[in-house]
Amino acid sequence: VAVAVAAAAVAVAVAVAATSARALFVDLNESNEWCFLEETPKNTLVLAKWKTTASPTIHPDSLADLGITLSITDPMDYNFFTRDFALTSRFAFTTARGGEYKLCFQTNTSTWFGSAGQALKLDVSITDGAEATDYEELARSEHLSALELSIRKLNDRVGSIRAEQDYQRRREHKFRNTSETTNSRVLWWSLFQVTILVGTGVVQSWSLKKFFKQRKLV
């Protein structure tokens, strides 16, 4: 699922990750930055592949120097990777901690065409876990038979499922602790309010009784 949010001249797309491949098509120009959120467990391989189709309005000389800048931010909001790539390329990394990783794509220049009109069609595919593994290359490098490769795929998928379950279990535990802490604070705050109200009522009653006695009304 991709949601585009317009903020000034920056467009941000949010893609919530599942375990299958996500193919996303966006328009990219010099005033745009497209970002995608990939939520993955710890120690999970994430693969981003993209290719672009240039507009005929781009001069060939400018197209030769044109590239895509990819920046990645971890769940702690730390930008740990920024690099320029070709218009069609790929990049893979392994997550150091579980959570949402933000992958942002933009052009590596701001002078090659005007802000009016779209000049690039960006086709992005993001996969993680077993889906991000190149099994054809793995079979060639490790000389695996078809049966061995199938077993490897099955083991990787089981490992991905277990890692996802463990991540969701820890996340649920964290949310439950937060909810219990919030409920406890609400309870104590309510008791504090009741105590203040009762104390205020007692003081008011005592003050009124004293006032009536001084005026000899009672």
Side-chain angles (χ1 to χ4, degrees), residues 3-167:
V3 181
V5 180
V10 178
V12 178
V14 176
V16 178
T19 56
S20 58
R22 270 87 44 206
L24 302 142
F25 303 88
V26 296
D27 292 322
L28 182 67
N29 61 27
E30 63 180 354
S31 61
N32 288 101
E33 180 185 46
W34 283 93
C35 296
F36 305 93
L37 294 183
E38 186 76 8
E39 185 174 8
T40 60
K42 182 180 179 180
N43 295 326
T44 300
L45 179 66
V46 178
L47 173 64
K49 297 187 294 184
W50 63 92
K51 61 180 180 180
T52 56
T53 303
S55 168
T57 59
I58 302 178
H59 193 276
D61 293 339
S62 300
L63 187 61
D65 297 327
L66 184 59
I68 297 295
T69 299
L70 170 63
S71 61
I72 305 176
T73 304
D74 69 6
M76 303 301 292
D77 204 26
Y78 172 69
N79 189 337
F80 66 92
F81 178 85
T82 300
R83 184 185 298 175
D84 291 340
F85 290 89
L87 292 177
T88 298
S89 188
R90 57 189 290 169
F91 179 73
F93 67 97
T94 301
T95 57
R97 57 170 58 90
E100 288 185 344
Y101 286 78
K102 184 167 68 172
L103 291 78
C104 295
F105 298 83
Q106 61 182 356
T107 62
N108 63 348
T109 177
S110 60
T111 59
W112 55 283
F113 65 89
S115 59
Q118 308 295 336
L120 282 180
K121 295 291 185 180
L122 180 64
D123 176 7
V124 181
S125 175
I126 301 176
T127 54
D128 59 23
E131 297 292 338
T133 304
D134 188 347
Y135 287 103
E136 294 182 0
E137 177 62 27
L138 183 65
R140 287 193 297 268
S141 63
E142 298 188 10
H143 308 287
L144 299 178
S145 65
L147 178 59
E148 291 173 330
L149 185 62
S150 298
I151 294 175
R152 176 67 67 86
K153 289 180 179 179
L154 181 60
N155 287 336
D156 289 348
R157 290 182 183 275
V158 171
S160 296
I161 292 173
R162 286 179 176 175
E164 181 67 26
Q165 289 177 335
D166 184 59
Y167 169 70

Side-chain angles (χ1 to χ4, degrees), residues 188-203:
W188 283 109
W189 175 247
S190 299
L191 292 176
F192 175 74
Q193 288 180 315
V194 170
T195 302
I196 293 298
L197 290 175
V198 171
T200 302
V202 171
V203 171

